[in-house]
Amino acid sequence: MPRPERPAKRRANLLHKEGIADVDWKDTALLRKFISDRGKIRSRRVTGLTPQQQRRVATAIKNAREMALLPYPSQGR
């Protein structure tokens, strides 16, 4: 028996809500909102960002990791 379809609950766009136009890799407080507790970058479906914003956030997170401001994903073993 197929499951009834639920309408997808879209999460509010955090960058649009806070009025942030440009994502900076030095703003670790903002970037931590887009990282899971294990250090992984959250998906667009979870964050509610546009594709362009998601790419900018991912690049900023990777730059912040290179500069040792944010953690890399942990090895869950």
Side-chain angles (χ1 to χ4, degrees), residues 15-30:
L15 295 179
H16 182 71
K17 188 169 74 172
E18 293 188 10
I20 299 170
D22 202 23
V23 181
D24 189 19
W25 60 269
K26 294 176 286 243
D27 190 1
T28 57
L30 175 69

Side-chain angles (χ1 to χ4, degrees), residues 8-10 15-16 22-25 27-29 36 39 46-47 49-52 54 62 64-67 69 71 73:
K9 182 179 175 186
R10 292 293 306 195
L15 295 179
H16 182 71
D22 202 23
V23 181
D24 189 19
W25 60 269
D27 190 1
T28 57
S36 70
V46 174
T47 60
L49 298 176
T50 64
Q52 295 84 4
Q54 183 70 21
K62 291 172 186 177
R65 284 176 176 164
E66 281 287 317
M67 298 299 169
L69 297 176

